[in-house]
Amino acid sequence: MKTTVHTDKAPAAIGPYSQAIVVNEFLYTSGQIALNPETGELEIQNIEHETRRVMLNLKAVLEAVEMDFSHVVKTTIYLSDMAYYTAVNSVYAAYFDEQPPAREAVQVAGLPKGVNVEISLVAYKG
């Protein structure tokens, strides 16, 4: 069974997609960018702050289905420039314990709204 996830504590989708989908015990999120869900404004003062906002948005989606970062099994990080890799990693690492998820980080030609980082994840509640 497929269930659509929506929470007002994360930014609304800015296109024809859902914030996340639950299938069986798996959560698949759409990519999150640094949009503040309360103001609708981008938070891109610096890459660390931008990454933190992305992680908070992902946390809100996880919490909407009674999960947390310990349930995450896979992430994908999209960067506008690999020069941000170390800074993004330092913020990202704070959200995971000694068993971090599998992941890849790739540089892309462009991201929505001109942001520098977008992250999606897969979580398992089993």
Side-chain angles (χ1 to χ4, degrees):
M1 183 165 107
K2 179 173 98 171
T3 305
T4 301
V5 177
H6 173 77
T7 177
D8 292 334
K9 295 180 180 178
I14 57 175
Y17 59 88
S18 300
Q19 288 173 324
I21 297 289
V22 174
V23 177
N24 299 324
E25 297 184 59
F26 284 93
L27 171 74
Y28 300 87
T29 71
S30 293
Q32 286 290 322
I33 61 174
L35 277 173
N36 181 313
E38 294 177 14
T39 66
E41 299 294 320
L42 285 172
E43 294 186 4
I44 55 175
Q45 297 88 320
N46 58 57
I47 193 63
E48 292 86 357
H49 186 85
E50 186 173 350
T51 305
R52 198 166 297 107
R53 168 45 64 194
V54 170
M55 297 303 287
L56 290 172
N57 291 344
L58 288 166
K59 180 180 178 188
V61 175
L62 286 163
E63 288 176 345
V65 293
E66 299 177 351
M67 289 186 184
D68 58 39
F69 285 106
S70 71
H71 294 98
V72 177
V73 295
K74 175 79 168 64
T75 63
T76 302
I77 301 175
Y78 302 97
L79 299 169
S80 65
D81 189 328
M82 285 305 277
Y84 294 132
Y85 183 83
T86 301
V88 169
N89 241 5
S90 67
V91 174
Y92 172 93
Y95 289 86
F96 296 102
D97 60 14
E98 67 280 351
Q99 293 184 331
R103 77 152 206 225
E104 60 270 322
V106 296
Q107 180 175 320
V108 296
L111 290 166
K113 297 190 174 276
V115 300
N116 297 300
V117 61
E118 179 175 7
I119 302 174
S120 63
L121 60 80
V122 177
Y124 178 67
K125 198 173 184 177

